[in-house]
Amino acid sequence: MSRVAEGVSPLELADYQKAVRLVLRHPLITPGYPDKAALATVRRWAGQLRTDLMEVLGYRLVTTADTARLQRAQDGLDTTRPALTRAGRPFDRRRYAYLVLTFAALGRHGAQVALGELADAVAADAVRIDGLGLDTARKPDRDAFVDAVTWLTERGALTLADGSATAWAGDPERAEALYDIDREILLAVHHPTRVLQHLTSVTALLDSAGALGMSAGRAAQRRDQARRARRLVLENPVAYYADADTELLGQLRAPALAEDLERLTGLTVERRAEGVSLIDTSGRLSDIRFPGGGTAAQAALLLAARISAAVQRSGRHALELLPAPTAAERLAARARRIDAALPSRGPIAELAEPDEASAYEASGDEGQEPAEIRYPFVTDSWLRGRLREITAEYGAGFAADLRGDPDRLLGQALDLLAAMSLIVRVDGGALALPLLARYRGVTARVKTRTSARSPVRTAQPPSRTALFADDTAKDPTP
């Protein structure tokens, strides 16, 4: 029997699980973020949360009078959870750079700071970085800087005391904004588990056991493998057995994994032949809803249905089967792209060991060749053709900018499908993963507005679906 939430009565278990989902969904909680009731909810269960989150997941919860900060153990490089702009778009590299420089500049100010003064301080640092800069005379630079400041404001690290950041971004000569600085929240926002100046590769941020100061030894390694397996299921739409090494595979199949995660989160663990998934039908924990609203999400859903239908073809019409890059190979590729942006001179280069740059190239068990699994492959040209069909049939309900830019729409749709572990993007196309079978029977219906505006077409998921491909014969989609 699971020992999770041992100190929680059956009558209070639902409230406790709500607090768990809240802190997992929002690793930083402040008096006003994500809402005014969140901090009180987490603080009520702080002691039990600290115990269970560390024991089950290896996560450390740090609470103060005004913050609750969850320090996650990172096992991989996740590209699906970006910071978002005021318009809800992912941060680009410029905005991330401005955010980091804003952190540094705020450390040199007192209790308050004017937005223009803060911009000048960030600009003075940005000009020393090749290719960056911050020119407050340029509207795009001002908008990017305000997006970084707004991200901090939403979390309570900065509080607007007077003026308007939007007005300043429109005309800094006529408008200004004054902010109060909350040092405690600012410290909670930026709370690294490593000395960042000593990192020589982005993968040095991983090694979660060392990052949280866990002890070594055989028993500790087994405990950490169990935590890693639970994290894999919790943090991803599906944990495929094909991506797991031998030790992790055993933990993924263990009955205790489902017992612990279900009692901790209140959600349901579903197992199939290809993997295991934590089902969140209400969206209480998920950071990405799929199916979801918006042009890219609707196009992705309809595209998923067409790929899934193509997977079912046999004979001479069957899709080519290709091996997918392993989890270790995908990590290595992402690490190389990130490490390429590290400074080529200075403390990082001086501290680097000669063989550390290739440390993330190593794969699991040496001398053991895993069985190769192949997946259906669709080409880029095939995907573009299917998107043209979707746009022709449903484009009246799509956003005009994406309808007129099919390459961007296709890229966003494929990125979403990849984030949901439905496909793997490879050179020349994409590989269909087993979870894609869930959307094999998707249909679409037209919603007509009462006004004279164009009809909106909304894709609808099937009423019953099989979670994984091998169950389609046993659990057919109507």
Side-chain angles (χ1 to χ4, degrees), residues 130-154:
D130 293 342
L132 184 58
L134 169 57
D135 185 353
T136 55
R138 297 183 68 251
K139 181 67 160 57
D141 283 11
R142 296 198 302 271
D143 285 338
F145 172 67
V146 169
D147 279 335
V149 170
T150 301
W151 190 91
L152 291 171
T153 304
E154 290 173 346

Side-chain angles (χ1 to χ4, degrees), residues 14 37 57 79 144 211 259 294 312 325 345-346 383 389 410 463:
L57 301 168
T79 62
E259 295 174 7
Q312 302 301 310
R345 60 185 182 277
L383 291 166
E389 296 172 358
L410 179 61
S463 57

Side-chain angles (χ1 to χ4, degrees), residues 260-344:
D260 290 343
L261 286 180
E262 288 179 350
R263 184 163 175 82
L264 182 69
T265 66
L267 306 182
T268 301
V269 172
E270 183 173 337
R271 295 182 186 275
R272 297 296 172 107
E274 294 89 352
V276 57
S277 181
L278 188 64
I279 305 300
D280 181 21
T281 56
S282 67
R284 295 171 295 181
L285 181 59
S286 304
D287 57 336
I288 302 177
R289 295 299 304 274
F290 188 78
T295 295
Q298 295 292 290
L301 181 61
L302 293 168
L303 190 60
R306 281 161 169 75
I307 299 173
S308 187
V311 168
Q312 302 301 310
R313 297 172 185 165
S314 58
R316 65 187 184 91
H317 298 293
L319 297 177
E320 181 183 6
L321 301 180
L322 297 177
T326 66
E329 290 170 342
R330 294 196 296 271
L331 171 61
R334 289 173 182 168
R336 282 193 295 268
R337 289 197 297 271
I338 297 173
D339 289 350
L342 288 174
S344 58

Side-chain angles (χ1 to χ4, degrees), residues 91-148:
F91 269 31
D92 54 19
R93 295 175 67 183
R94 179 173 296 275
R95 284 169 171 78
Y96 279 121
Y98 288 167
L99 180 60
V100 172
L101 293 178
T102 300
F103 273 120
L106 287 172
R108 302 191 295 267
H109 285 79
Q112 288 187 321
V113 63
L115 187 59
E117 181 185 1
L118 183 60
D120 290 340
V122 171
D125 291 333
V127 75
R128 295 197 292 267
I129 301 174
D130 293 342
L132 184 58
L134 169 57
D135 185 353
T136 55
R138 297 183 68 251
K139 181 67 160 57
D141 283 11
R142 296 198 302 271
D143 285 338
F145 172 67
V146 169
D147 279 335

Side-chain angles (χ1 to χ4, degrees), residues 149-170:
V149 170
T150 301
W151 190 91
L152 291 171
T153 304
E154 290 173 346
R155 285 149 182 81
L158 295 173
T159 301
L160 184 65
D162 192 18
S164 167
T166 302
W168 179 88

